[in-house]
Amino acid sequence: MCGIVGAVAKDNIVPVLLEGLLRLEYRGYDSAGIVVANGKLHRVRTTERVAELAKLVSIEKTEGLTGIAHTRWATHGVPCERNAHPHFAGNDKKIAVVHNGIIENHEVIRRRLQEAGFEFLSDTDTEVIGHLISLHLEITRDLREAVCLAAAELQGAYAIVVIEEERPDRIIAARNGAPLLLGLSKNGNYAASDASALLQVTRRMVYLEEGDVAELTSSNYHVINITKNKLGEKVRRVELETDLTREAVELGPYAHFMQKEIFEQPVAIANTLEMVFNAHSLSPRLFGSEAESVFQKTSGILILACGTSYHAGLVAMHWLEAISGLPCSVEIASEYRYREPIANPDTLVVGISQSGETADTLAALKYAKSRGHRYSLAICNVPESALMRQTDLRFLTRAGPEIGVASTKAFTTQLVALMLLAAVFAKLRKKISEKLEQKLIDGLRHLPIAMQLALQIEPQIIEWAKNFSHKRHALFLGRGVHYPIAMEGALKLKEISYIHAEAYAAGELKHGPLALVDKEMPVVAIAPNDSLQEKLKSNLQEVRARGGELYVIADADSSIQESEGVHIIRLAEHAGMFSPILHTIPLQLLAYHVALQKGTDVDKPRNLAKAVTVE
Ligand code: F6R
C-alpha cells in the first residue's frame, strides 16, 4: 500500500527521498510524487514508476533541505497524476501533505471546507486533511498546532507528514492507525512508513504511537500525543537501533525477492525455532510471560486472519484439534468483523499476520474483544507492528523482512509458530509424554535440513512450469491438513501468474468441479503418505478418467506411480506431521516459475499491495 518518506537535513534530501521511495516500491503503488521546499514548494508527480519520477526530478534540477515523498495505492479516486501525493493545501498552496490510510469522515469535512471557500483539485481524502490543516493554520499560525487540531477532527486511519513553505526548516508527522516512524541521524531527521526506507541514512529509529504528533528539524525532534489533549502533551518515545540490515532488504544474487524469500526458508525457520532449540523444551513462555496463566484458562481457539495467513490458520486448526484436543475455529477476518458471533470468553483469539498492519485483522481482533473474548495472541513477523501492540500475548516469527508481495517464508514460519502453539497446549493438557515432546523437538530441529532438501526439486518444477504458462485455469487438490496447502498453492499461482486457479478438498470434486476437468485442465494434487492417501488416489482416478493432466506432489516412498498424464515429483523424505510445511515449497516454486515464464511482475503483481492497511 502507500509509502511515505519525509526528510529535513543539512544536505540536499532529494536522493534520500527517492531512494526511500524505491525501498517502498514493494508495498505496491500506482503513482508517486515528491515536494521539496526551496524558497517555494516544488512538486513533481507521475503515474509511472519511481525511476521515472527520479528522471523528472533530475530534469527539473529539484534540490532542497526539506521534503516529503509518497507512493500511492489508489483508494479514493482513480490512479492519475491529479490524485497522486503530495497534495498542496490552502488556496495559496503553501502547505504540502502526504498521507497513508483512509479518512472515514472526509465527506462531511470536505463539504464544510468547500463552504469555507477551499477549492478541491483531487478526489482524495488526503486533500481534505491538507485543507483542514490550512484552515486551522489561519488561526493558530503554527503548523504543529494546526496539525494537532486537524488530526483531532479526523476519523479513520492516517499517517501524515506535512511541510510548509514559510517554515522550510521543519516537518510535522502524525500517526493514528497507520504505521509511521522517525529516523534520527547527525545529518538530519526523517520520517517514513517503513524502516527499510531509512536504512540508507540511519538505523536509529523512533516508532510513533497512536495519537502522536512529531516535529522534526535537521538537528532535533520532539513528540507530543493528542489522545487526551487536542493540542498535545509532551511524551518520550524510545529510540532504538533497528535489527533490520540493508542486506535483508536487498536482492543480493537473486533475480526476485520472491525467489530470495523462498530460498531463505530454511534459515527463517531455524531462526524462528532458535528459542525452542536453546530451551530444549516447549514452554508457554514462547508466547509471552503471561502465556502460561492464560493458556491454563483457555478452552478453545479462534483464529482470525486474511489471505495466506488465513491458510496458515486452517492448517493450525487440524494440528490444534488433533495434537492438543482443543476445539479450534478459523475465520476470515473481513467476514468475522461484520457478523454477530457468539463469544466464549475463555476462547483464546489468535490473530495471524505477516505485516501486523492488515486493517481487517486488526479490526476483527478488536471486535472479538468487544464480543467478550478475554485474551488474544498475535503471531506476526513485524515486532513494532500494530498487531503486536494490540494483543495480550505475542509470538514473533523471525522470517526477516518479506518484500515480495506473495507471502512465502512468512507463511512457513507462521506454520512453525502454530505447530509450537499446538504442541505447547498438548503438553499443558498432558496429551503428549516427555518422550513425544523430545521427538517433536528433534523433528523441528531437522526441519531446516528437510526444507533444504525440498528446495532441490526446483529443476523438476521448472519443467512442470512449461506446461502451465499457456494455460488459463488450474485446479489444486488436497485432503485434510493438506487442503489448506492446496488453497495456498492456488492463491500463489493466481496472484503472480494471473492464471485462474482454484483449490478443492479432493473429496468435493464429484460434487461439481469435476465438470471443469478436460485435457486443458492441469490438476495439481498434494499427495503425502498420510492416512488419506488411498482416498486421494481414487479422487485422482476420477480426474484422469476425464482426461485431466495430473501433477502430483508425493513423498519419496509414495505408492503413486507415474504414467501417461500423471507427472510426479517426490519430496526427499516423508515429514509426518510437518508435511504441510514441506509440501508448500513445490507450490511456491511452481507459481514463481510459471510467472517467470509468463513474464509477469513477480514481486509486484498488478493491483496488489504488500500490507493491506485499508479495509
Ligand atoms: C498472498 C498474501 C496475502 C496476505 C494477506 C494478509 O501471498 O501475501 O494474501 O497473506 O494480505 O496479510 P498479512 O499476513 O500481512 O496480514
Side-chain angles (χ1 to χ4, degrees):
M1 302 241 115
C2 309
I4 288 178
V5 197
V8 47
K10 292 167 187 154
D11 303 326
N12 176 23
I13 44 70
V14 169
V16 176
L17 295 181
L18 291 172
E19 172 72 17
L21 288 189
L22 279 174
R23 297 286 161 201
L24 296 179
E25 274 195 308
Y26 78 96
R27 297 177 69 92
Y29 68 105
D30 39 49
S31 57
I34 184 171
V35 163
V36 176
N38 53 7
K40 284 198 131 354
L41 294 182
H42 190 79
R43 178 169 71 179
V44 184
R45 297 183 293 178
T46 177
T47 51
E48 304 290 324
R49 310 308 281 176
V50 172
E52 181 60 27
L53 180 73
K55 272 191 214 150
L56 296 173
V57 166
S58 89
I59 292 167
E60 300 194 16
K61 298 195 173 39
T62 311
E63 285 193 355
L65 304 182
T66 305
I68 52 178
H70 191 262
T71 45
R72 172 174 188 255
W73 191 85
T75 53
H76 291 76
V78 294
C80 64
E81 194 177 317
R82 187 172 55 84
N83 286 333
H85 301 209
H87 288 285
F88 284 142
N91 289 340
D92 52 2
K93 301 189 173 51
K94 295 215 165 160
I95 293 174
V97 56
V98 289
H99 161 226
N100 287 358
I102 286 189
I103 302 304
E104 283 158 11
N105 57 343
H106 72 102
E107 275 171 3
V108 184
I109 302 178
R110 180 187 292 258
R111 277 198 294 277
R112 196 176 108 211
L113 290 165
Q114 276 166 334
E115 278 160 24
F118 284 94
E119 191 192 355
F120 282 83
L121 302 173
S122 80
D123 312 315
T124 65
D125 49 348
T126 306
E127 211 183 354
V128 170
I129 304 175
H131 283 331
L132 189 61
I133 294 171
S134 189
L135 181 75
H136 286 293
L137 188 62
E138 283 171 14
I139 299 154
T140 65
R141 301 271 153 214
D142 176 72
L143 185 63
R144 196 198 72 206
E145 282 186 13
V147 170
C148 290
L149 292 171
E153 290 191 49
L154 301 175
Q155 287 163 16
Y158 60 81
I160 51 177
V161 183
V162 193
I163 58 173
E164 169 191 29
E165 193 174 287
E166 314 261 284
R167 287 278 315 271
D169 59 326
R170 64 174 180 172
I171 60 179
I172 309 291
R175 91 154 262 186
N176 195 55
L180 195 63
L181 54 93
L182 311 180
L184 315 173
S185 87
K186 280 201 196 110
N187 208 34
N189 290 318
Y190 309 87
S193 50
D194 187 320
S196 58
L198 299 183
L199 285 177
Q200 47 163 333
V201 278
T202 184
R203 297 170 56 87
R204 224 163 90 236
M205 311 270 172
V206 171
Y207 286 85
L208 294 182
E209 297 190 5
E210 304 302 13
D212 279 357
V213 176
E215 179 172 346
L216 299 92
T217 63
S218 63
S219 55
N220 214 338
Y221 80 97
H222 64 266
V223 184
I224 58 172
N225 188 281
I226 58 166
T227 312
K228 292 194 197 127
N229 174 347
K230 268 197 217 173
L231 283 175
E233 288 167 1
K234 210 160 182 178
V235 284
R236 280 178 70 84
R237 297 287 174 236
V238 187
E239 287 178 18
L240 48 87
E241 287 281 307
T242 176
D243 291 339
L244 203 62
T245 59
R246 285 188 82 170
E247 300 79 71
V249 294
E250 271 164 13
L251 258 183
Y254 294 96
H256 297 96
F257 281 105
M258 183 178 181
Q259 185 194 28
K260 178 180 184 233
E261 287 154 11
I262 290 174
F263 281 87
E264 278 173 350
Q265 289 179 107
V267 174
I269 285 181
N271 289 344
T272 301
L273 286 168
E274 197 182 298
M275 279 200 300
V276 180
F277 297 160
N278 291 344
H280 302 287
S281 78
L282 296 167
S283 155
R285 287 187 70 84
L286 291 167
F287 298 89
S289 51
E290 307 293 310
E292 179 149 9
S293 76
V294 173
F295 287 4
Q296 295 285 10
K297 293 173 223 146
T298 299
S299 62
I301 306 276
L302 165 65
I303 297 178
L304 300 172
C306 302
T308 288
S309 297
Y310 168 70
H311 297 156
L314 291 174
V315 173
M317 177 185 77
H318 287 266
W319 285 339
L320 278 156
E321 297 203 339
I323 304 172
S324 68
L326 265 182
C328 175
S329 55
V330 190
E331 298 215 29
I332 295 170
S334 56
E335 288 294 316
Y336 174 84
R337 62 184 287 198
Y338 293 113
R339 63 182 200 86
E340 297 197 9
I342 314 284
N344 172 350
D346 295 329
T347 293
L348 175 70
V349 182
V350 180
I352 310 173
S353 172
Q354 186 285 129
S355 61
E357 301 293 346
T358 302
D360 283 319
T361 306
L362 293 174
L365 259 106
K366 267 194 194 140
Y367 183 56
K369 192 145 230 160
S370 76
R371 300 289 300 183
H373 287 279
R374 247 198 294 266
Y375 297 108
S376 57
L377 160 69
I379 293 181
C380 184
N381 194 39
V382 181
E384 299 84 8
S385 61
L387 182 67
M388 287 298 244
R389 283 189 249 142
Q390 190 174 312
T391 52
D392 308 291
L393 308 175
R394 50 200 65 82
F395 183 99
L396 180 69
T397 52
R398 294 181 190 273
E402 193 178 66
I403 309 278
V405 163
S407 189
T408 52
K409 60 178 181 171
F411 177 66
T412 45
T413 52
Q414 283 167 353
L415 290 181
V416 165
L418 290 158
M419 168 61 85
L420 289 176
L421 186 68
V424 164
F425 270 112
K427 187 176 164 187
L428 273 181
R429 295 163 61 86
K430 306 206 185 329
K431 299 275 179 193
I432 53 169
S433 62
E434 222 170 276
K435 199 165 151 207
L436 206 64
E437 179 186 354
Q438 283 315 314
K439 212 171 145 204
L440 216 128
I441 295 176
D442 289 345
L444 290 168
R445 217 182 279 282
H446 178 66
L447 201 51
I449 297 165
M451 298 287 279
Q452 285 291 10
L453 293 174
L455 285 163
Q456 289 175 7
I457 55 150
E458 190 180 25
Q460 292 156 270
I461 291 282
I462 294 173
E463 286 308 306
W464 277 17
K466 291 178 189 155
N467 300 341
F468 280 73
S469 52
H470 56 281
K471 297 287 183 192
R472 297 190 53 213
H473 309 276
L475 281 183
F476 285 71
L477 302 180
R479 294 201 69 144
V481 70
H482 293 90
Y483 169 42
I485 299 301
M487 293 165 83
E488 176 59 9
L491 177 62
K492 286 293 92 102
L493 187 68
K494 77 180 108 179
E495 72 179 319
I496 62 166
S497 76
Y498 316 148
I499 291 173
H500 169 229
E502 291 301 332
Y504 283 95
E508 272 290 291
L509 258 192
K510 51 188 165 302
H511 300 290
L514 202 53
L516 292 170
V517 174
D518 62 13
K519 62 181 182 3
E520 289 307 315
M521 178 67 88
V523 179
V524 181
I526 327 300
N529 283 359
D530 61 12
S531 58
L532 288 166
Q533 196 190 45
E534 288 309 315
K535 302 270 175 220
L536 181 72
K537 272 170 145 179
S538 315
N539 303 139
L540 300 188
Q541 295 290 350
E542 293 160 10
V543 171
R544 201 49 213 130
R546 272 92 192 160
E549 195 90 354
L550 278 168
Y551 294 84
V552 183
I553 300 163
D555 287 333
D557 46 358
S558 169
S559 60
I560 303 177
Q561 293 303 321
E562 191 135 327
S563 59
E564 206 201 322
V566 183
H567 313 269
I568 300 188
I569 286 181
R570 294 176 197 278
L571 294 185
E573 43 187 71
H574 172 49
M577 64 206 295
F578 304 115
S579 167
I581 304 177
L582 290 184
H583 275 264
T584 302
I585 288 187
L587 303 175
Q588 295 170 340
L589 287 170
L590 181 65
Y592 174 69
H593 283 289
V594 174
L596 268 196
Q597 291 186 20
K598 290 196 70 177
T600 55
D601 191 345
V602 174
D603 285 335
K604 296 188 272 307
R606 67 185 180 203
N607 308 337
L608 299 183
K610 182 65 188 163
V612 187
T613 51
V614 296
E615 191 177 343

